[in-house]
Amino acid sequence: MENTIENLEAKFQAKIDAEIKIEPKDWMPEKYRKTLVRQISQHAHSEIVGMLPEGNWITRAPSLRRKIGLLAKVQDEGGHGLYLYSAAETLGTSREQMFEDLNSGKAKYSSIFNYPTLTWADIGAVGWLVDGAAIMNQVMLTRASYGPYARAMVRICKEESFHQRQGYEITMALAQGTPEQKEMAQDALNRWWWPSLMMFGPNDADSTHSAQSMAWKIKRKSNDELRQAFVDATVPQAEFLGLTIPDKDLKWNEERGHYDFGEIDWEEFWQVVKGGGPCNKDRLKARNKAYKEGAWVREAAMAHAEKRAERRKNN
Amino acid sequence: MENKEALFEYVLRIADNALILGHRVSEWCGHGPSLETDIGLTNIALDLVGHARVLLQYAAQVEGKGRSEDDLAFLRDIRDFKNVLLVEQPNGNFANTIARQFLFDTFNYHFFAALSNSKNEKLVAIAKKSIKELTYHYRYSAEWVIRLGDGTEESHEKMQEALDDIWDYAGELFVADEVDAKMLEEGIGVDLEAIRPLWEERVNAILKEATLTRPKDGWIQKGGKQGKHTEQMGLVLAEMQWMQRAYPGMEW
């Protein structure tokens, strides 16, 4: 058969349908490549920007054990960022390009990281809810059709589940602590609940990339399916802690076998996605500052590596 | 001075060095010049706070007054902190951080290597466990001194300036007082005079490779071991201890 575009596309789709992973050197539709670059780099950016809200509490963690747990977690996130940038680079983009897109605001990252961590309890809520939501998404992605992405997600998921347990444990210590601590935990849940549900993206009907991503098996479940799974898993966890989910419409639906829940504030969602969240400016400023102020260090490392290579050649 | 009292003081000093430097380095988390340095520095902070925990636990045990690692970390005020002044200095730019780290890591590596010959079994166990991580720090900061010193003109200047700025604080690492003397006499502590040449040799060699000039030895700024700190220290503690001070006596 001749390698016309139509034939290549048909072969590609057949491979996807047969659950054969696509690898960097395989032919792939340009749009598939672009979608993956966008998604994987956004995912990587989320890990990096996500270091900031939690990093905010490292110097103030209330016990040494918690300080260590938080440091280890944020370090893991940096590592996840590295895996994901590497996965994106197999698609022909560069880390520098991705950083530029992040710093200029062209590339997005998860909207959740535009919310501030106001109290120590937020660190628990972020681990429990935000990592919990991320895991729903990421477990699905371990079966994504693009091999390097799927493999990165396998490694990342192992660490993420540990982070989520850690976050839940922090929240549990507070929920079982003094009335002041319990109030702190409830307040954090109140502020993080809806933003966590927003992490799954727009409703299926409004999700622009969904259909194609499902056909290409980049996505294996829809936004609403994942969101429902998250609510179903998380409500009993909150109940166990004696905390209340801030949603008056939340109710078990016997017929569906799922929880019904209230409407998300989509106006807020789009505002945050478009840069108008409480911390969008601060997060980007912090990233830009680190990148700009670190330029001389990166240049020094490059210059030194060149000098070394030169010396080795001459010896 | 009772042996127990001196031992408590001695262990506390080692712990405080790790705790305060770990705290400082952790301030970099998320703000490093590259993803790799961000991860590297966070990893070092993690190791140091880990060392601080084991040492504070042991100090609390030696003291025998029922205090915990957290009591010691979060409920002592400035005058009871016994870290050297070097480790409480602010991060500044990346070169400032690396200069501080390099001078301390070189000391700390040789200090712990010597401590693993102590007569105190607990300290030997801690030293042997820590030395693997300290070997990594010892390599990491030295390599960055070389990269920055022998990198670009700008990085060379910044690295030199950073060394010049912090040099006066390095001397305190080797100033022994009665606690050091007592612990040395008991065969527990480290002979600072014996590790000084090792420190000198390494520092001189790395600076040479980095094409940097060793600052002149002049004043030695000291006092940390006796709880007489720089003005930096109060700010570190205000931030680090705030939760425990605001919400005392709770489990976290």
Side-chain angles (χ1 to χ4, degrees):
Chain A
M1 204 163 30
E2 216 183 326
N3 272 344
T4 61
I5 283 287
E6 289 75 19
N7 285 342
L8 286 167
E9 276 180 358
K11 275 190 207 162
F12 173 81
Q13 192 61 48
K15 238 172 154 181
I16 299 263
D17 295 341
E19 299 287 335
I20 297 168
K21 294 271 181 261
I22 306 301
E23 297 298 336
K25 286 184 176 165
D26 294 345
W27 185 89
M28 61 186 86
E30 196 47 32
K31 265 193 169 170
Y32 177 86
R33 184 189 302 275
K34 278 192 175 148
T35 302
L36 276 168
V37 167
R38 191 190 66 243
Q39 186 176 332
I40 302 174
S41 64
Q42 276 183 18
H43 197 156
H45 297 332
S46 302
E47 298 283 356
I48 303 313
V49 177
M51 294 168 82
L52 298 171
E54 293 185 275
N56 182 31
W57 276 88
I58 287 173
T59 55
R60 290 176 292 166
S63 74
L64 293 180
R65 182 169 163 261
R66 292 301 182 201
K67 197 192 273 287
I68 292 245
L70 188 52
L71 271 166
K73 181 186 174 181
V74 182
Q75 190 196 347
D76 283 348
E77 281 161 8
H80 297 173
L82 270 183
Y83 298 159
L84 288 162
Y85 284 123
S86 303
E89 282 181 323
T90 64
L91 292 158
T93 180
S94 70
R95 214 203 292 182
E96 288 68 32
Q97 183 59 51
M98 290 185 270
F99 273 161
E100 265 174 41
D101 290 346
L102 170 66
N103 291 341
S104 70
K106 188 181 160 205
K108 300 273 185 288
Y109 53 86
S110 179
S111 59
I112 194 81
F113 300 120
N114 292 313
Y115 290 88
T117 47
L118 299 182
T119 72
W120 170 251
D122 290 29
I123 299 308
V126 167
W128 170 32
L129 303 173
V130 174
D131 292 334
I135 288 167
M136 288 282 163
N137 215 4
Q138 290 171 350
V139 166
M140 160 188 84
L141 293 171
T142 60
R143 297 188 300 121
S145 58
Y146 189 58
Y149 193 25
R151 288 189 290 273
M153 293 326 299
V154 172
R155 297 178 66 175
I156 290 174
C157 278
K158 285 182 194 149
E159 292 177 342
E160 288 291 354
S161 4
F162 179 72
H163 299 166
Q164 198 223 357
R165 276 207 299 281
Q166 186 171 280
Y168 191 66
E169 200 217 300
I170 290 174
T171 310
M172 196 185 314
L174 297 175
Q176 296 172 348
T178 65
E180 261 173 308
Q181 285 174 304
K182 189 169 181 184
E183 195 186 318
M184 202 187 268
Q186 181 64 57
D187 172 63
L189 173 58
N190 294 349
R191 284 180 290 109
W192 288 91
W193 175 253
W194 291 106
S196 301
L197 294 194
M198 292 178 198
M199 283 175 71
F200 297 98
N203 283 139
D204 294 348
D206 305 319
S207 182
T208 40
H209 306 296
S210 272
Q212 183 61 76
S213 288
M214 300 273 275
W216 278 333
K217 297 189 178 174
I218 297 172
K219 252 174 113 101
R220 318 278 317 216
K221 287 180 180 172
S222 78
N223 294 354
D224 287 331
E225 274 180 276
L226 290 167
R227 186 164 17 239
Q228 182 71 60
F230 174 72
V231 172
D232 290 347
T234 312
V235 172
Q237 294 171 351
E239 278 170 0
F240 179 79
L241 295 177
L243 298 176
T244 313
I245 303 275
D247 178 359
K248 60 177 172 37
D249 297 324
L250 185 79
K251 203 172 72 224
W252 177 252
N253 183 325
E254 195 64 60
E255 210 173 296
R256 290 204 305 130
H258 291 293
Y259 281 95
D260 289 338
F261 54 97
E263 188 61 25
I264 285 171
D265 182 348
W266 293 113
E267 200 181 320
E268 175 180 320
F269 172 80
W270 288 114
Q271 178 176 319
V272 177
V273 168
K274 286 174 183 161
C279 299
N280 291 62
K281 277 190 185 158
D282 288 346
R283 302 290 185 239
L284 268 193
K285 238 186 233 170
R287 282 317 315 160
N288 273 294
K289 183 167 185 278
Y291 198 67
K292 208 171 134 195
E293 288 181 1
W296 70 270
V297 177
R298 299 191 300 276
E299 282 158 20
M302 290 299 289
H304 180 73
E306 278 161 24
K307 281 186 196 177
R308 264 201 184 177
E310 191 65 25
R311 274 174 217 148
R312 208 172 297 138
K313 208 165 59 186
N314 294 339
N315 276 342
Chain B
M1 189 181 270
E2 287 267 331
N3 214 355
K4 191 178 109 175
E5 200 185 325
L7 179 60
F8 172 67
E9 188 74 18
Y10 195 70
V11 178
L12 208 53
R13 289 172 177 186
I14 311 172
D16 287 348
N17 282 342
L19 179 63
I20 300 303
L21 186 58
H23 178 93
R24 275 298 191 206
V25 179
S26 80
E27 293 170 358
W28 272 103
C29 191
H31 307 280
S34 66
L35 197 40
E36 287 81 355
T37 44
D38 218 321
I39 295 171
L41 290 175
T42 306
N43 192 45
I44 289 170
L46 185 57
D47 290 342
L48 288 170
V49 180
H51 298 166
R53 278 190 77 188
V54 218
L55 287 157
L56 287 176
Q57 282 162 13
Y58 180 49
Q61 187 193 328
V62 170
E63 189 192 32
K65 289 183 182 165
R67 288 205 273 183
S68 68
E69 59 178 80
D70 285 335
D71 292 334
L72 289 174
F74 298 108
L75 299 175
R76 275 182 298 149
D77 204 349
I78 292 187
R79 297 286 280 112
D80 293 319
F81 266 85
K82 302 298 166 63
N83 54 283
V84 291
L85 303 180
L86 177 71
V87 298
E88 72 200 43
Q89 298 312 304
N91 286 341
N93 64 28
F94 188 70
N96 297 122
T97 291
I98 288 299
R100 183 186 66 197
Q101 199 65 32
F102 170 61
L103 299 179
F104 183 75
D105 287 345
T106 308
F107 166 80
N108 213 26
Y109 172 81
H110 291 296
F111 182 88
F112 271 73
L115 197 64
S116 61
N117 296 318
S118 169
K119 275 186 185 164
N120 180 306
E121 282 177 16
K122 182 76 185 172
L123 287 177
V124 171
I126 294 174
K128 283 193 169 158
K129 190 179 170 294
S130 311
I131 201 79
K132 290 176 203 141
E133 291 166 349
L134 295 176
T135 308
Y136 160 72
H137 305 175
Y138 180 72
R139 226 173 35 217
Y140 185 88
S141 54
E143 279 173 9
W144 270 110
V145 169
I146 295 167
R147 270 189 212 109
L148 297 180
D150 188 26
T152 63
E153 204 176 308
E154 183 186 9
S155 70
H156 177 88
E157 256 172 49
K158 285 198 158 90
M159 194 61 236
Q160 185 66 55
E161 202 178 314
L163 279 170
D164 294 345
D165 279 353
I166 205 144
W167 194 258
D168 291 352
Y169 292 108
E172 187 185 10
L173 294 166
F174 301 102
V175 180
D177 67 359
E178 54 165 347
V179 174
D180 293 298
K182 173 98 180 161
M183 285 296 102
L184 183 57
E185 194 186 302
E186 299 291 328
I188 294 172
V190 170
D191 184 355
L192 295 176
E193 278 311 314
I195 60 171
R196 190 206 286 264
L198 304 173
W199 184 88
E200 295 278 348
E201 196 188 327
R202 167 88 170 170
V203 167
N204 291 342
I206 297 294
L207 294 188
K208 185 165 177 243
E209 194 179 341
T211 71
L212 292 160
T213 311
R214 181 182 157 125
K216 274 209 183 81
D217 290 318
W219 299 109
I220 292 178
Q221 297 295 346
K222 56 181 191 291
K225 285 178 170 187
Q226 289 76 35
K228 289 186 270 183
H229 292 276
T230 62
E231 288 180 350
Q232 298 298 331
M233 192 62 180
L235 298 168
V236 168
L237 295 187
E239 188 171 358
M240 186 172 83
Q241 299 183 334
W242 175 73
M243 282 293 288
Q244 287 269 351
R245 302 285 187 181
Y247 303 92
M250 298 180 190
E251 293 288 327
W252 298 97

